[in-house]
């Protein structure tokens, strides 16, 4: 065992803190305040680390996938794509021009017709697509091959040996034996008699026969139809392993389509013409019937009504006469109302006349103005009044001239004028009676007009409707006859299919690329999945974020060379690692008194290795250090420091040894070790005894650093008891070894105990592993022997790891 790690000037403790137990302070207080929130780590270093860890698995999956792609290219034939174009005829007669047949189908209907079995079945039969040959060179033997309405499909072999031939199923069942030149497959429903010339030599001809509907379905799947937006074209494409066969098949399909679409349109036009002819005949008969009814009605009602004067007959029953009759009736009503109003006005004037009535009121009545006698009396009264006015100015009222004029005026006013007015009123009443009689007669005639008018209107509407229908049908019939004579197909062939010289789709490179890309993607997903399902501790964020532990330091992975010699550079890496841990621990306690229990979630995590080297590092730094082997079940620190196992800790707890008996000196003068001692079944109970607390108090008084190497957290209650005694616990996590779920469960149990979990030390770390490269130390920067001779060996306690 080496004597020490690094020679440093011993650190003398402060007098007031040298023998004082360290108070338990929270980590936030020791660090000077609240810790800043931790940012989420970048996922890329973890991904890179996962890829490096599973690189060989990823490489194997990628190689297998690429090989599968290469193998698949041997079973996939290159595809040839042929194309053709149909032109849609856009017929529009709204702007004039010659009469043409209307467009029967739009682009969508044409696509459905192209994919219909009426087209595909015919193409299959015409091109013999129900027959598939394993070798295209055998096609000459199948010239004239046909199938009957009933046949047996399947896979067959025709064996030709000299002049003999045998037909078998693919499974080896014999179906026919014969000679070259005979009909073949008659029992199978085939119409096939291959010539002797096409069956020369000994050979086996393998072929398959399927139903035409199955071949049509396969043809439909190989057919691609596309209609450009807003265009008048239908683009057809067909793919297949034989370029010439694909081109011939597509051209046959195009010809069949144009023929069928033209026949459908011709048939539809003939049906339309026949239907229009029948409808036109029925419309003519209906028009003649309604025309006869209208004519009979007009003849029967032509002499019935007359005008208001009775001087001329009215075209009876005609709708045009209703205006004349109604006008005469209205005129009579107005005339009667005027006569009646004038009579009442005249009577009112007579009733309101006073001693000296005014004749001006009579002149406001039109009938008075038109009555010569009454108008003459009114003029005479006006003349007498005119003579009386100057006479009164000249003479007195008693003068004979004035009296004579007054008497004459009174006579005219009181006798003559009323007499003539009453005569006029009597005449006006007689005229009113005559008007009332005429109005009553006209009313009776008017009441009869609506019925005749309604009947006439109905007959007129029926006639006009029948006439319009007949004219419309006549025009449509003539257009249909012309359209039938000059029918234009809805679609024409613009481009025919031509067999390409080179394949348009060679899937070999694509399959290889797909195999490589797919296997590479699968390898990446597999690596990520295995990384996610990995229960072992592997990344620093699993400690900081998942377990909420501060990382005190990392211990690198040490590679041993031949003969178990570790390179000096890697030894320096271990030395620097424990220096960092020591520094972090020293600043986690308020004074120079350090007490700490070191444990791990499970065995084989390297806690004893960390405890040994950490104790050695503290001793090298000048601290009086004691290392207690608290693993009373399997502790082996006595082997590490070459001391006796007994007496030890258990011997002291059982009262069989004193503290001086169990404090064993090591090769380093500042490092003391207490071995585990004699194995004892009731040892865990003794760890919580009063003697253990007394021993701990003794050690805190005599040493500046007390390190307790405890059993794993999963081994029992020992580490929890030792942790409560020291009050501080540090967890060791081994990369690729520690079970994360168990670690999380065990660390959660510490939250219920008076134990301060200081943090974690990450063991067996490769500095090149993803995020851990930031925790490593620069190579080539160690202290070399120089001016001052070394007095101590820097060799640490090395782990027993590969």
């Amino acid at each position: 065992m080496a004597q020490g790690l690094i020679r440093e000037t011993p650190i003398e403790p402060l007098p007031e803190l040298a023998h004082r137990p360290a108070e338990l302070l929270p980590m936030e207080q020791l660090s000077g305040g609240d810790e800043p929130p931790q940012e989420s780590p970048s996922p890329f270093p973890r991904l890179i680390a996962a890829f490096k860890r599973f690189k060989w698995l990823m490489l194997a999956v990628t190689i297998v996938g690429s090989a599968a792609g290469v193998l698949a290219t041997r079973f996939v034939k290159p595809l040839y794509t042929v194309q053709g174009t149909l032109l849609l005829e856009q017929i529009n007669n709204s702007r004039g021009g010659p009469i043409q047949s209307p467009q029967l189908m739009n682009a969508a209907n044409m696509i459905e017709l192209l994919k219909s079995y009426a087209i595909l079945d015919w193409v299959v039969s015409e091109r013999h697509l129900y027959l598939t040959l394993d070798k295209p060179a055998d096609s000459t033997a199948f010239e004239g091959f046909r199938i009957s309405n009933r046949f047996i499909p399947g896979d067959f072999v025709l064996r030709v040996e000299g002049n003999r031939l045998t037909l078998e199923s693919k499974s080896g069942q014999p179906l026919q034996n014969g000679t070259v030149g005979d009909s073949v497959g008659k029992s199978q429903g085939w119409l096939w008699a291959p010539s002797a010339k096409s069956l020369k030599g000994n050979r086996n001809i393998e072929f398959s026969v399927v139903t035409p509907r199955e071949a049509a379905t396969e043809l439909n799947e190989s057919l691609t139809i596309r209609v450009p937006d807003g265009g008048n074209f239908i683009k057809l494409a067909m793919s297949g392993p034989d370029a010439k066969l694909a081109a011939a098949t597509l051209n046959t399909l195009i010809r069949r389509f144009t023929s069928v679409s033209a026949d459908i349109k011709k048939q539809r036009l003939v049906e339309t013409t026949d239907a229009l002819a029948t409808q036109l005949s029925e419309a003519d008969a209906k028009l003649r019937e309604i025309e006869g009814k209208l004519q009979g009605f007009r003849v029967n009602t032509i002499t019935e009504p007359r005008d208001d004067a009775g001087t001329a007959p009215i075209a009876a029953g005609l709708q045009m006469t209703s205006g004349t009759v109604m006008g005469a009736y209205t005129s009579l009503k107005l005339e009667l109302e005027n006569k009646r109003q004038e009579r009442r006005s005249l009577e009112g004037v007579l009733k309101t006349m006073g001693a000296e009535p005014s004749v001006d009121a009579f002149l406001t009545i039109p009938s008075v103005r038109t009555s010569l006698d009454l108008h003459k009396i009114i003029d005479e009264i006006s003349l007498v009044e005119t003579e009386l006015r100057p006479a009164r100015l000249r003479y007195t009222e008693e003068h004979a001239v004035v009296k004579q004029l007054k008497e004459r005026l009174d006579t005219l006013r009181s006798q003559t004028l009323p007499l003539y007015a009453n005569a006029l009123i009597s005449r006006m009443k007689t005229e009113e009676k005559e008007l009332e009689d005429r109005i009553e007669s006209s009313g009776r005639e008017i009441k009869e007009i609506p019925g005749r008018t309604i009947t006439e209107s109905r007959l007129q509407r029926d006639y006009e409707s029948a006439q319009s229908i007949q004219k419309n049908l006549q025009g449509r019939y003539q257009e249909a006859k012309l359209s039938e004579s000059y029918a234009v197909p809805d679609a024409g062939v613009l481009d025919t299919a031509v067999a390409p010289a080179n394949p348009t789709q060679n899937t070999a490179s694509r399959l290889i690329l797909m195999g490589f890309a797919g296997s590479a993607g699968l390898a990446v997903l597999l690596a990520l999945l295995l990384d996610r399902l990995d229960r072992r501790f592997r990344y620093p964020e699993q400690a900081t974020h998942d377990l909420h532990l501060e990382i005190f330091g990392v211990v690198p992975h040490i590679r041993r060379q031949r003969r178990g010699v570790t390179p000096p550079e890697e030894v320096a890496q271990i030395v620097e690692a424990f220096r960092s841990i020591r520094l972090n621990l020293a600043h986690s306690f308020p004074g120079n008194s350090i007490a700490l229990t070191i444990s791990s979630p499970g065995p084989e995590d390297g806690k004893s290795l960390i405890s040994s080297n950490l104790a050695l590092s503290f001793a090298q730094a000048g601290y009086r250090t004691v290392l207690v082997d608290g693993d009373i079940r399997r502790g082996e620190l006595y082997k590490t420091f070459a001391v006796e196992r007994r007496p030890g800790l258990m011997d002291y707890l059982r009262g069989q040894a004193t503290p001086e008996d169990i404090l064993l000196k090591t090769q380093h003068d500042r490092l003391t070790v207490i071995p585990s001692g004699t194995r004892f079944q009731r040892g865990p109970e003794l760890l919580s005894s009063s003697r253990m607390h007394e021993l701990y108090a003794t050690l805190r008084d005599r040493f500046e650093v007390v390190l307790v190497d405890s059993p794993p957290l999963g081994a029992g209650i020992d580490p929890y008891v030792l942790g409560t005694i020291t009050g501080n616990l540090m967890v060791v996590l081994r990369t690729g070894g520690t079970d994360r779920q168990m670690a999380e469960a065990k660390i959660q149990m510490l939250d219920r105990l008076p134990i301060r979990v200081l943090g974690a030390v990450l063991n067996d770390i490769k500095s090149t592993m993803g995020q851990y490269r930031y925790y490593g130390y620069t190579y080539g920067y160690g202290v070399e022997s120089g001016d001052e001779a070394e007095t101590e060996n820097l060799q640490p306690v090395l782990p027993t790891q590969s």
Side-chain angles (χ1 to χ4, degrees):
M1 172 64 203
Q3 192 177 9
L5 283 172
I6 299 175
R7 181 180 180 182
E8 294 184 0
T9 304
I11 301 176
E12 297 295 338
L14 295 175
E16 62 275 13
L17 297 178
H19 303 289
R20 178 181 175 184
E23 298 179 0
L24 297 180
L25 297 178
M27 292 300 296
E28 293 80 0
Q29 184 174 346
L30 293 175
S31 59
D34 295 336
E35 294 182 357
Q38 296 182 353
E39 298 181 356
S40 299
S42 174
F44 296 107
R46 177 169 179 174
L47 295 179
I48 294 173
F51 294 156
K52 287 183 177 180
R53 184 153 49 96
F54 297 105
K55 59 184 177 182
W56 297 116
L57 175 62
M58 296 173 62
L59 180 62
V61 172
T62 304
I63 292 175
V64 171
S66 301
V70 174
L71 182 62
T73 58
R74 303 186 61 181
F75 300 95
V76 179
K77 298 180 180 179
L79 294 179
Y80 296 85
T81 301
V82 295
Q83 297 179 349
T85 306
L86 295 174
L87 175 63
L88 301 181
E89 296 292 342
Q90 297 293 334
I91 300 175
N92 187 3
N93 293 328
S94 61
R95 299 182 181 179
I99 297 176
Q100 302 180 19
S101 58
Q103 187 176 7
L104 181 62
M105 295 182 293
N106 54 21
N109 294 332
M110 290 184 180
I111 291 176
E112 293 300 323
L113 180 60
L114 280 166
K115 292 185 175 183
S116 66
Y117 290 111
I119 303 292
L120 299 178
D121 286 346
W122 189 91
V123 175
V124 167
S125 178
E126 184 71 14
R127 300 302 309 172
H128 304 167
L129 299 181
Y130 46 76
L131 177 65
T132 304
L133 304 178
D134 288 357
K135 298 179 182 179
D138 297 332
S139 59
T140 56
F142 288 87
E143 294 179 357
F145 183 92
R146 294 290 186 276
I147 56 176
S148 60
N149 293 333
R150 293 184 177 182
F151 71 99
I152 300 176
D155 300 328
F156 305 94
V157 179
L158 181 64
R159 304 185 187 279
V160 181
E161 298 178 356
N163 200 30
R164 302 292 299 175
L165 57 83
T166 302
L167 178 64
E168 299 177 353
S169 65
K170 218 44 172 312
S171 60
Q173 180 182 1
L175 301 175
Q176 179 183 346
N177 293 319
T179 59
V180 175
D182 294 342
S183 296
V184 178
K186 185 176 294 186
S187 61
Q188 305 300 116
W190 305 340
L191 307 176
W192 182 32
S195 62
K197 183 179 180 181
S198 62
L199 297 180
K200 284 184 177 180
N202 298 331
R203 55 177 173 163
N204 296 331
I205 301 176
E206 298 181 0
F207 62 98
S208 301
V209 181
V210 298
T211 62
R213 184 53 54 88
E214 291 176 349
T217 302
E218 185 177 355
L219 176 62
N220 186 22
E221 293 176 353
S222 64
L223 181 65
T224 302
I225 304 175
R226 184 171 60 88
V227 180
D229 295 338
N232 298 333
F233 304 97
I234 297 180
K235 294 194 175 291
L236 307 176
M238 183 176 293
S239 300
D242 190 337
K244 294 182 179 179
L245 177 61
T249 302
L250 185 58
N251 289 330
T252 304
L253 185 143
I254 291 174
R255 290 195 301 269
R256 177 62 178 173
F257 168 74
T258 54
S259 175
V260 170
S261 60
D263 292 343
I264 293 175
K265 188 170 186 179
K266 183 72 174 179
Q267 181 181 0
R268 183 64 61 84
L269 291 175
V270 171
E271 294 175 354
T272 302
T273 303
D274 294 342
L276 287 174
T278 302
Q279 294 175 1
L280 181 60
S281 177
E282 295 176 355
D284 288 338
K286 186 70 174 178
L287 179 62
R288 287 192 296 270
E289 179 185 354
I290 296 176
E291 188 176 17
K293 291 182 179 180
L294 180 60
Q295 182 179 359
F297 175 79
R298 288 179 174 176
V299 169
N300 294 331
T301 59
I302 193 170
T303 58
E304 289 185 2
R306 297 177 181 275
D307 63 0
D308 53 355
T311 58
I314 300 175
L318 296 178
Q319 193 172 7
M320 54 181 283
T321 62
S322 62
T324 304
V325 176
M326 288 299 297
Y329 178 79
T330 304
S331 298
L332 291 175
K333 291 283 288 184
L334 291 175
E335 185 177 358
L336 174 61
E337 187 65 26
N338 291 334
K339 289 289 183 183
R340 187 173 293 160
Q341 185 66 29
E342 291 176 4
R343 178 180 59 79
R344 291 174 180 174
S345 298
L346 183 58
E347 291 175 348
V349 172
L350 290 176
K351 289 180 181 180
T352 57
M353 289 182 62
E356 294 182 359
S358 175
V359 296
D360 294 336
F362 289 96
L363 294 177
T364 60
I365 300 173
S367 297
V368 174
R369 294 195 301 269
T370 57
S371 177
L372 297 177
D373 295 334
L374 188 58
H375 194 278
K376 184 177 180 181
I377 296 300
I378 293 173
D379 292 341
E380 187 177 356
I381 292 173
S382 298
L383 179 62
V384 173
E385 288 179 349
T386 303
E387 293 176 355
L388 179 60
R389 190 178 299 110
R392 283 180 172 178
L393 295 175
R394 181 178 299 180
Y395 305 105
T396 63
E397 294 292 332
E398 299 298 331
H399 193 274
V401 176
V402 174
K403 287 182 177 182
Q404 184 180 359
L405 291 175
K406 289 177 61 177
E407 291 176 357
R408 184 182 174 184
L409 181 62
D410 291 338
T411 301
L412 289 173
R413 285 178 177 275
S414 60
Q415 298 178 8
T416 306
L417 182 60
L419 178 63
Y420 280 93
N422 289 325
L424 180 59
I425 289 172
S426 298
R427 189 171 64 249
M428 292 176 69
K429 289 181 178 179
T430 302
E431 292 177 356
E432 289 178 10
K433 184 66 173 64
E434 292 177 355
L435 287 174
E436 288 177 353
D437 294 340
R438 292 177 61 186
I439 288 172
E440 183 178 359
S441 177
S442 297
R444 286 194 300 270
E445 294 295 333
I446 290 174
K447 290 179 180 179
E448 295 177 359
I449 288 176
R452 294 196 299 271
T453 303
I454 292 173
T455 303
E456 180 198 18
S457 298
R458 184 182 70 251
L459 293 174
Q460 184 69 28
R461 287 196 303 270
D462 294 342
Y463 174 76
E464 292 175 355
S465 176
Q467 189 179 35
S468 176
I469 293 174
Q470 192 270 345
K471 289 181 179 180
N472 186 22
L473 289 175
Q474 183 70 31
R476 291 179 60 189
Y477 176 74
Q478 296 297 333
E479 288 185 3
K481 292 290 289 183
L482 290 175
S483 299
E484 180 183 348
S485 302
Y486 301 97
V488 178
D490 290 342
V493 181
L494 184 62
D495 293 329
T496 57
V498 178
N502 299 318
T504 54
Q505 183 179 358
N506 191 351
T507 58
S509 58
R510 180 180 298 179
L511 286 176
I512 295 175
L513 181 60
M514 289 176 59
F516 172 77
S519 59
L522 179 61
V524 170
L525 292 177
L526 184 60
L528 295 178
L529 179 62
L530 292 176
D531 181 67
R532 290 297 177 184
L533 296 178
D534 190 2
R535 298 177 56 184
R536 303 296 178 181
F537 172 82
R538 294 192 181 278
Y539 305 105
E541 67 268 14
Q542 293 174 338
T544 56
H545 288 76
D546 297 347
L547 302 180
H548 305 287
L549 296 177
E550 182 181 357
I551 298 177
F552 267 61
V554 298
V555 177
H557 173 81
I558 303 300
R559 295 178 295 107
R560 291 183 181 274
Q561 295 183 352
R562 294 181 180 179
R563 300 179 183 179
V565 178
T566 301
E569 282 292 345
E570 297 192 2
V571 172
Q573 291 287 310
I574 275 200
V575 171
E576 292 299 333
F578 283 102
R579 285 174 175 171
S580 299
I581 299 172
R582 183 192 69 201
L583 179 63
N584 289 330
L585 284 175
H587 288 278
S588 296
F589 291 85
N592 278 353
S593 180
I594 299 173
L596 176 66
T597 299
I598 300 174
S599 184
S600 62
E604 306 300 331
D605 288 336
K607 60 174 183 59
S608 297
L609 174 74
I610 302 301
S611 301
S612 302
N613 282 281
L614 187 58
L616 192 59
S617 179
F618 272 110
Q620 287 288 338
Y623 290 88
R624 295 189 303 275
T625 306
V626 59
L627 177 60
V628 181
D629 191 352
D631 191 352
I632 59 177
R633 306 170 192 260
R634 298 172 54 184
E636 295 185 351
L637 287 182
Y638 70 95
K639 295 181 180 179
T640 303
F641 292 96
V643 296
E644 296 294 333
R645 181 164 63 91
R646 293 185 297 269
L649 178 60
M650 290 306 301
D651 300 292
Y652 170 78
L653 295 179
R654 295 175 63 186
Q656 298 176 358
T658 62
E660 287 73 13
D661 295 334
I662 62 175
L663 290 171
L664 305 180
K665 294 293 185 179
T666 63
Q667 296 181 4
H668 198 287
D669 56 354
R670 289 185 175 270
L671 177 59
T672 303
V673 175
I674 298 179
S676 59
T678 305
R679 309 285 193 242
F680 185 56
Q681 188 175 4
R682 294 183 63 252
E685 285 77 8
L686 296 178
L687 290 177
S688 58
S689 63
S690 59
R691 287 185 62 84
M692 184 64 193
H693 289 274
E694 294 174 359
L695 177 62
Y696 175 68
T698 302
L699 297 179
R700 290 295 298 270
D701 291 337
R702 298 178 59 178
F703 297 94
E704 296 171 312
V705 177
V706 178
L707 300 180
V708 179
D709 179 21
S710 73
L713 295 174
I717 67 169
D718 302 12
Y720 301 101
V721 173
L722 295 174
T724 57
I725 292 175
T726 61
N728 303 283
L729 181 71
M730 187 172 67
V731 182
V732 177
L733 303 174
R734 183 168 186 171
T735 304
T738 301
D739 190 320
R740 290 185 292 110
Q741 295 181 358
M742 185 181 71
E744 184 176 3
K746 298 303 179 182
I747 292 175
Q748 286 179 355
M749 293 179 61
L750 296 173
D751 296 337
R752 296 188 290 270
L753 299 175
I755 302 175
R756 181 175 66 151
V757 181
L758 298 177
V761 172
L762 310 184
N763 187 26
D764 198 14
I765 302 299
K766 294 181 180 179
S767 59
T768 58
M769 290 175 54
Q771 294 163 302
Y772 289 113
R773 65 181 181 274
Y774 303 115
Y775 291 92
Y777 305 93
T778 304
Y779 277 86
Y781 210 72
V783 179
E784 299 180 357
S785 299
D787 297 336
E788 185 177 353
E790 295 289 337
T791 59
E792 294 180 345
N793 193 351
L794 297 179
Q795 185 70 22
V797 178
L798 296 180
T800 57
Q801 59 190 22
S802 59

